[in-house]
Amino acid sequence: MAKPRISGSVHAEEGTFSYLDNDFEIDALSVSFIDPERRDPYVDLSGTAEVESRSGESYQVTARLNGYLSDAVPELHSTPSLSRPDIVSLLTFGDTFGTMTSGGPGSDSSGGAFSSSAFGLAESTLERLLHLDRVAFDQEELASGDESETETETSVTLGKKFGDRLRVNYSTAVGHGRNQKVEISFELAKRFWLETRTGVEGNHAIGFKLQIPFR
């Protein structure tokens, strides 16, 4: 029996789809079997959703998926503009990370505990959505202009492995363009790493790391 093949395409200009438990109105959709050798369809989908945060702010979120269904990565944009981690947080938890961690409008005394418990889920969600090997959120208490007060700054680290020996990490403060840094690690030998770091002001550092297991 000959190997079966699938061909053709389907188009739609209206309807809805669900993403992160939010309903999006379809702007355009096409599903095409453009490669007769694979049963994986090529999808071009775009849609919008009106999302209101727990603090009462309204956002229009646009989601687009373009590529083969098995490996396409959703693109997310919003009006007013938010970073992609903040959009995912808005869709998943109902607020941006900046609002949840800074005690902004709509937050309550349980906000810190909520955001802390939410980080684990957010990290695994972002790793999957962004196809990254590491997503980590950290919080740090910083002194404000008034020495008697402090503010909490949340930073995010995005990491990607390239093969078995090269790792790249990018870190920045959530909601700010400050404290950006890039770290590159290359494994010269087993448990022996060459590491470089570049900061936002162009500062460079280089060093070696030796991992010694304890038993």
Side-chain angles (χ1 to χ4, degrees):
M1 180 178 178
K3 182 179 179 180
R5 296 184 178 183
I6 303 175
S7 62
S9 61
V10 177
H11 301 270
E13 296 181 352
E14 60 180 4
T16 62
F17 66 92
S18 180
Y19 181 64
L20 294 179
D21 291 329
N22 290 266
D23 292 328
F24 284 74
E25 295 288 335
I26 292 176
D27 297 324
L29 168 65
S30 67
V31 180
S32 306
F33 292 89
I34 59 178
D35 186 347
E37 298 299 323
R38 61 190 297 177
R39 288 178 288 179
D40 189 16
Y42 192 95
V43 178
D44 190 353
L45 169 66
S46 63
T48 56
E50 298 293 333
V51 182
E52 183 174 333
S53 70
R54 294 189 302 143
S55 54
E57 299 180 57
S58 296
Y59 297 88
Q60 183 181 70
V61 178
T62 301
R64 184 174 185 190
L65 188 71
N66 184 266
Y68 285 103
L69 186 59
S70 62
D71 53 18
V73 178
E75 297 178 7
L76 297 173
H77 303 278
S78 71
T79 304
S81 180
L82 294 172
S83 66
R84 184 167 182 173
D86 270 338
I87 296 175
V88 173
S89 173
L90 176 68
L91 296 175
T92 306
F93 308 115
D95 252 327
T96 65
F97 280 113
T99 300
M100 290 193 299
T101 59
S102 65
S107 64
D108 52 30
S109 59
S110 63
F114 171 80
S115 61
S116 178
S117 63
F119 280 162
L121 176 59
E123 290 167 357
S124 59
T125 300
L126 288 172
E127 285 174 0
R128 175 172 53 84
L129 290 177
L130 303 180
H131 288 197
L132 295 173
D133 298 300
R134 182 192 179 201
V135 176
F137 290 92
D138 296 295
Q139 291 182 293
E140 181 180 2
E141 296 290 335
L142 301 177
S144 62
D146 185 343
E147 295 183 357
S148 63
E149 297 181 358
T150 60
E151 62 179 20
T152 301
E153 180 176 88
T154 302
S155 62
V156 59
T157 299
L158 310 178
K160 183 70 176 178
K161 293 180 181 179
F162 298 90
D164 296 328
R165 303 172 67 186
L166 179 63
R167 301 176 185 174
V168 178
N169 289 327
Y170 168 76
S171 301
T172 186
V174 175
H176 308 281
R178 62 192 185 194
N179 297 337
Q180 300 180 49
K181 62 182 178 182
V182 177
E183 298 176 328
I184 300 176
S185 301
F186 184 77
E187 188 175 22
L188 299 172
K190 188 175 182 179
R191 301 193 181 95
F192 185 55
W193 297 80
L194 170 67
E195 296 187 333
T196 66
R197 176 182 297 178
T198 302
V200 66
E201 298 179 353
N203 300 322
H204 301 279
I206 187 170
F208 296 93
K209 182 174 73 174
L210 177 63
Q211 295 178 331
I212 303 176
F214 290 89
R215 296 174 181 161

